[in-house]
Amino acid sequence: MSKYFWVNLDIGHFFTAGYDPVAYITEHHDRITNLHLKDRKKDHGENVPWGQGDTPIKPVLTLLKEKKYPIPAFIEYEYRGTESSTAEVKKCYEYAKAALA
């Protein structure tokens, strides 16, 4: 494959399709431009509030922190929340901060 191919990895889609984002990031961290973070149920499940799904968000963030991989990780708000979009994104942000504490 060309050296110009890079990955914008959505860990929610990747995980729900049956793949391990932690293993993939470990192996290909030098070819990943950024991550999209979302929580989903496994086996092509729905998007859910962070902490209610099966996506390994905490292990992914811990890996980035421990290995010091320079990969930006973006919150991707795709579940149907009970509050405003701003409030729901803040919940995701707090989840990520707690995961890295």
Side-chain angles (χ1 to χ4, degrees):
M1 207 174 242
S2 169
K3 66 179 180 176
Y4 298 107
F5 279 96
W6 291 74
V7 176
N8 170 2
L9 184 65
D10 184 314
I11 68 168
H13 290 297
F14 195 75
F15 175 78
T16 198
Y19 301 101
D20 180 357
V22 174
Y24 187 86
I25 294 166
T26 299
E27 185 174 347
H28 302 287
H29 61 90
D30 59 333
R31 305 294 298 163
I32 298 173
T33 61
N34 59 72
L35 301 177
H36 288 194
L37 305 177
K38 71 165 71 72
D39 205 357
R40 293 187 66 174
K41 294 291 189 176
K42 63 182 177 179
D43 300 323
H44 303 283
E46 63 184 323
N47 294 311
V48 295
W50 289 24
Q52 295 181 20
D54 303 307
T55 306
I57 297 171
K58 286 182 184 182
V60 164
L61 291 173
T62 300
L63 176 68
L64 296 180
K65 179 181 177 180
E66 289 177 354
K67 297 291 187 177
K68 297 181 178 20
Y69 293 146
I71 303 170
F74 297 97
I75 294 170
E76 190 165 349
Y77 170 59
E78 286 194 10
Y79 62 90
R80 190 173 300 273
T82 57
E83 299 182 46
S84 70
S85 297
T86 302
E88 292 296 333
V89 171
K90 284 181 183 178
K91 289 179 191 178
C92 297
Y93 178 70
E94 292 303 320
Y95 182 94
K97 277 184 18 181
L100 291 169

